[in-house]
Amino acid sequence: EKLAQIYQAVTGITTNARQFAITSYQQAIQLDPSNPLLRINLGGRYLEMQNFDSAIEQFSLSTKLKPDYANAYFNLAFAYQQRKNFLLAAFALKKTLLLVPAGSDDYNKTNKLLEDTKTYLTPEEINILNQDQNGSALQNNQNELPLFSEPTPTQTPSPTPSKP
């Protein structure tokens, strides 16, 4: 993990540093497979490379390892937004809201992102989202929910991954 952090720090200065960081995180995961933070960090490197499918995989694994980890869901939402899967992004943001203190800055920021994301959803998709009161659809049915390729935005969300 420390080696990955060093490579991450010199990304942009040293050739192949990002790939070395990814390899180091993968090795760290082999040594500590139940550590959700390692998967968050690896997913972040994949986001930097615009490898959104791999980022989604790592963030999803992190949510399975620690189902109450708000940061994993928040970053998962961002990755889904990049893939233009706004329904799953909304589910992940909704789950994040259940895990952060109501009224906090993180809650308000996440709620704003959720409202922005909803502008990309059809009324039918909003109905699907509203039926899931405890955030279980995202955890249980990620492979069954549809991937939408063409959004119809009314405004453009501009999320930035952070640590809610």
Side-chain angles (χ1 to χ4, degrees):
E1 181 178 8
K2 293 297 179 196
L3 184 58
Q5 291 169 349
I6 292 169
Y7 284 128
Q8 186 176 327
V10 298
T11 298
I13 299 170
T14 305
T15 307
N16 296 325
R18 186 171 286 128
Q19 187 56 48
F20 291 143
I22 286 172
T23 300
S24 297
Y25 277 123
Q26 289 169 336
Q27 291 170 345
I29 288 169
Q30 288 178 344
L31 296 171
D32 189 5
S34 62
N35 184 337
L37 184 57
L38 292 174
R39 296 195 183 272
I40 292 286
N41 291 333
L42 178 57
R45 303 303 62 80
Y46 285 132
L47 280 178
E48 291 171 352
M49 297 175 67
Q50 298 186 353
N51 184 342
F52 303 121
D53 292 335
S54 293
I56 288 168
E57 178 182 0
Q58 293 306 312
F59 297 141
S60 294
L61 288 168
S62 184
T63 66
K64 286 175 178 34
L65 290 169
K66 187 164 175 45
D68 63 345
Y69 196 13
N71 191 29
Y73 288 102
F74 188 84
N75 284 286
L76 180 60
F78 180 79
Y80 277 132
Q81 286 179 333
Q82 300 310 299
R83 291 285 298 134
K84 300 193 183 335
N85 191 327
F86 297 105
L87 181 58
L88 285 180
F91 275 113
L93 289 167
K94 190 171 178 179
K95 183 68 174 183
T96 304
L97 285 175
L98 295 172
L99 298 172
V100 295
S104 68
D105 287 341
D106 291 333
Y107 184 93
N108 294 334
K109 179 180 179 179
T110 302
N111 195 45
K112 168 93 171 78
L113 289 173
L114 176 58
E115 292 307 312
D116 290 346
T117 301
K118 284 180 179 179
T119 64
Y120 289 84
L121 301 179
T122 66
E124 180 182 321
E125 294 164 347
I126 290 173
N127 187 41
I128 292 168
L129 180 67
N130 290 338
Q131 290 176 9
D132 183 44
Q133 296 303 314
N134 61 3
S136 62
L138 180 69
Q139 195 74 25
N140 298 330
N141 299 310
Q142 286 182 21
N143 295 330
E144 296 175 22
L145 292 169
L147 175 67
F148 301 96
S149 57
E150 291 300 320
T152 53
T154 56
Q155 58 186 161
T156 305
S158 57
T160 304
S162 66
K163 298 179 179 179

